[in-house]
Amino acid sequence: MKTLFEKIIAREIPATFVYEDELCVAFRDINPCAPMHLLLVPRKPLVQLSSATAEDQALLGHLMLTATKVAAQEGLGEAYRLVVNNGAAAGMSVPHLHLHLIGGRPLKWPPA
Ligand code: 5GP
């Protein structure tokens, strides 16, 4: 069965895409927690970060570097936050690895 994000990637569910390449896509979060809240999602449906193996090393690096590229593209400058929730108890609700790219306002720390 496809994950929600696989359905979005397949355009079966609408989303506002801002970037895509052969390995990943980025689209706007449906419930943004800041003026800019994007989700960066690998096409490969890894359940979560802890599901990744050495085989995914290049993909994980690609996601990080793509996040910087998308942040620049979206005008976030040098101020933004990347979040990966791993596991339901850590706030993960969609079981398909994704990076939250958040910015557009001052961000406090700690986040929770
Ligand atoms: P998680 O809680 O798993 O780290 O993040 C899942 C994110 O997906 C949440 O921020 C939530 O708002 C977002 N989300 C859930 N359903 C949809 C949807 O159908 N479309 C979009 N664009 N975002 C979604």
Side-chain angles (χ1 to χ4, degrees), residues 1-53:
M1 201 172 110
K2 284 183 185 171
T3 67
L4 172 66
F5 290 164
E6 282 180 284
K7 290 178 187 167
I8 288 177
I9 290 168
R11 301 325 203 247
E12 292 165 19
I13 293 176
T16 304
F17 285 79
V18 299
Y19 175 88
E20 65 182 304
D21 63 29
E22 71 284 5
L23 294 177
C24 67
V25 304
F27 52 86
R28 299 196 190 286
D29 196 292
I30 203 167
N31 185 22
C33 69
M36 184 68 68
H37 186 170
L38 303 173
L39 299 172
L40 192 57
V41 184
R43 293 182 188 277
K44 179 177 178 177
L46 285 165
V47 172
Q48 55 190 7
L49 187 60
S50 58
S51 311
T53 67

Side-chain angles (χ1 to χ4, degrees), residues 97-109:
L97 175 64
H98 50 283
L99 280 61
H100 296 258
L101 174 58
I102 298 164
R105 64 164 167 79
L107 299 170
K108 293 188 178 143
W109 193 262

